[in-house]
Amino acid sequence: MKPRAVILDLFGDHLRYHGGGARTQVLVALLEVFGVGEPTARIALARMRKEGWFATHRQARQVAWTLTDKSWRLLDEGRARIFSRAGGPWDGQWRMVIYAMAEQHRAQRDRLRRNLSWLGFGPLATATWISPHDRLDRVEQALSETAGVRADLLTCRSRSPMSDLDMVDRCWDLKALGRAYEDLVRRLEALPPAEELAALPGPVALRQRIELVADYRHFPFRDPDLPAELLPADWPGTRAHQLFMAAHEALGAPADAYVTSLLERHGDGT
């Protein structure tokens, strides 16, 4: 895992619930759990501050690091996509984005596509993306941050359930995603039972918990979180999410107790 990914996961999974800040000594000690030495930790923090992920202020002789609004948005959006699943029946409506961009805006176009994928949209055609989720407001925000784009946002229905399934097949490779979920299920089922995870030493539990999130995090980029009406029977993604949530919860108490002990030892950074 890259140091910056570990740092963001530490804030997203733990430090945000302890005031949203921490002193340098705390962050260095936490990163040591992941084999990141102090020089590398300080370099990563400095670069992330320069990029606008952190603000800093002095506390006695220490520097305290706090999340910026940009970081909060990223963590909130990431947490929603990783830990939440769409519930309830589908309303049968597709949300459609049709956009046009000049060739010189290729980088912006690629960024827009990544944002659409993160929001659960899939490419029905080159510049036409659809989703069963009502997230057009968030698409509008992404479009407002994208230079050189012209877009139409629509809500529509297909003519039949078979057409819906055909569009799903064209937008997403559910067979490949299902195989990836089946592999994840096997790995998660091989973990110790919850009571053993909850009894792990704090540093071990913290490392396993952050690694668990890092391993699971890439699935929301691939998985549009389709409603049951659009999924194959016995979809393995459901089982994978249940196992992930159970392991994440079991590791929570010892991991957070260790984080709390470091904050108390060095100061809470708030």
Side-chain angles (χ1 to χ4, degrees):
M1 295 176 62
K2 294 182 179 180
R4 63 187 298 136
V6 174
I7 292 168
L8 287 174
D9 284 340
L10 286 169
F11 272 88
D13 234 17
H14 293 280
L15 294 171
R16 67 181 300 164
Y17 304 110
H18 293 277
R23 296 181 180 182
T24 304
Q25 286 181 330
V26 174
L27 296 175
V28 168
L30 288 171
L31 285 166
E32 286 178 352
V33 172
F34 300 86
V36 179
E38 182 172 350
T40 302
R42 289 181 178 274
I43 291 172
L45 287 167
R47 287 177 177 172
M48 293 178 75
R49 177 176 56 186
K50 185 177 180 179
E51 294 169 5
W53 298 107
F54 287 107
T56 58
H57 61 277
R58 302 291 301 186
Q59 282 192 344
R61 296 182 179 181
Q62 284 290 313
V63 174
W65 302 75
T66 56
L67 296 170
T68 62
D69 290 342
K70 170 184 175 180
S71 299
W72 279 115
R73 287 195 302 269
L74 176 72
L75 293 180
D76 288 343
E77 290 176 3
R79 190 165 190 82
R81 290 289 285 121
I82 292 171
F83 291 94
S84 300
R85 285 294 178 266
W90 181 39
D91 63 6
Q93 297 188 100
W94 291 99
R95 281 70 182 183
M96 181 177 291
V97 180
I98 305 172
Y99 66 86
M101 300 183 74
E103 182 63 25
Q104 63 262 33
H105 296 296
R106 181 180 301 177
Q108 292 284 349
R109 181 193 61 200
D110 292 343
R111 178 185 176 191
L112 175 61
R113 288 174 177 172
R114 288 194 298 271
N115 286 335
L116 289 172
S117 179
W118 175 253
L119 292 173
F121 283 76
L124 186 63
T126 302
T128 301
W129 290 57
I130 62 172
S131 171
H133 304 299
D134 186 8
R135 296 173 181 157
L136 290 181
D137 288 347
R138 294 167 69 181
V139 171
E140 284 186 318
Q141 180 181 350
L143 291 169
S144 70
E145 299 169 355
T146 305
V149 63
R150 185 180 71 255
D152 296 303
L153 308 182
L154 308 173
T155 299
C156 54
R157 292 179 181 270
S158 73
R159 299 192 66 178
S160 71
M162 289 301 297
S163 296
D164 291 328
L165 294 177
D166 177 66
M167 288 193 293
V168 167
D169 190 54
R170 292 158 59 189
C171 288
W172 299 282
D173 187 351
L174 293 187
K175 291 181 179 180
L177 180 60
R179 290 192 296 269
Y181 269 132
E182 288 170 353
D183 180 65
L184 178 63
V185 166
R186 285 191 290 269
R187 286 184 278 126
L188 291 174
E189 287 180 337
L191 290 174
E195 58 270 21
E196 292 185 22
L197 293 177
L200 288 173
V204 177
L206 178 65
R207 184 183 182 104
Q208 288 200 15
R209 196 177 201 227
I210 296 300
E211 289 178 345
L212 181 71
V213 173
D215 193 30
Y216 190 76
R217 182 175 45 229
H218 72 275
F219 278 95
F221 281 102
R222 299 177 60 188
D223 186 353
D225 192 18
L226 297 173
E229 296 90 334
L230 301 175
L231 285 171
D234 299 323
W235 177 239
T238 303
R239 175 65 173 160
H241 186 69
Q242 292 169 345
L243 291 169
F244 163 75
M245 292 295 291
H248 185 269
E249 181 178 356
L251 292 164
D256 202 61
Y258 179 68
V259 173
T260 300
S261 71
L262 290 179
L263 289 167
E264 291 176 346
R265 186 185 312 164
H266 297 291
D268 63 8
T270 60

